[in-house]
Amino acid sequence: MKDMIEQIISTDKKSRESVEKAKQIKIRSAQKIVDIREKKRKEYLEKAKANIEVVAIEERAQADVKLKSIEEEYEKIEEKIDKIYNENRENWIKNLVQRVIEG
């Protein structure tokens, strides 16, 4: 009977140790999951930042091309205005003076 009680106590002790080991494994596994999740999150953020930089560079280049095109268009318009002004300047001055004198 005494041996049986000791065996039950021993079995109980081993069961508690097994349960404790299982709890520790569960805790370590949970921590590993948290660590892996954090690592993946950091990797994702780093990739996202790199992609943002690439997109920003590309958009800046496209904006520069568009700006150059707009500036060229404005230069053409300015040249046309200057040409029209130079062609009609004397006539406009003459007409203004005429209106003032007649007015």
Side-chain angles (χ1 to χ4, degrees):
M1 183 81 158
K2 193 174 185 180
D3 288 339
M4 194 180 241
I5 293 175
E6 287 178 9
Q7 190 176 7
I8 291 172
I9 292 172
S10 175
T11 304
D12 183 57
K13 183 178 177 182
K14 287 178 185 177
S15 295
R16 279 193 238 149
E17 288 173 357
S18 293
V19 168
E20 187 60 33
K21 283 181 185 179
K23 285 181 184 178
Q24 292 300 320
I25 290 171
K26 183 179 177 182
I27 290 170
R28 284 194 300 268
S29 295
Q31 185 59 47
K32 281 183 183 180
I33 290 170
V34 169
D35 292 344
I36 290 170
R37 185 181 304 145
E38 185 62 24
K39 180 181 175 186
K40 292 295 181 184
R41 183 180 160 280
K42 285 181 182 178
E43 288 174 1
Y44 174 79
L45 288 175
E46 288 173 7
K47 286 180 183 178
K49 286 178 185 178
N51 287 340
I52 288 170
E53 289 178 23
V54 168
V55 169
I57 290 169
E58 290 173 357
E59 286 184 3
R60 209 172 292 125
Q62 289 174 356
D64 288 343
V65 168
K66 190 171 183 178
L67 177 62
K68 184 172 179 155
S69 172
I70 291 169
E71 287 174 343
E72 288 172 357
E73 185 66 28
Y74 282 157
E75 284 179 23
K76 289 177 185 176
I77 291 170
E78 184 179 13
E79 288 172 5
K80 285 180 183 178
I81 290 172
D82 286 344
K83 182 180 176 188
I84 292 170
Y85 172 76
N86 289 331
E87 289 174 355
N88 295 301
R89 180 177 162 252
E90 293 299 324
N91 194 25
W92 290 341
I93 292 172
K94 182 180 173 184
N95 286 338
L96 281 172
V97 170
Q98 188 72 27
R99 285 184 191 167
V100 169
I101 292 174
E102 292 176 3

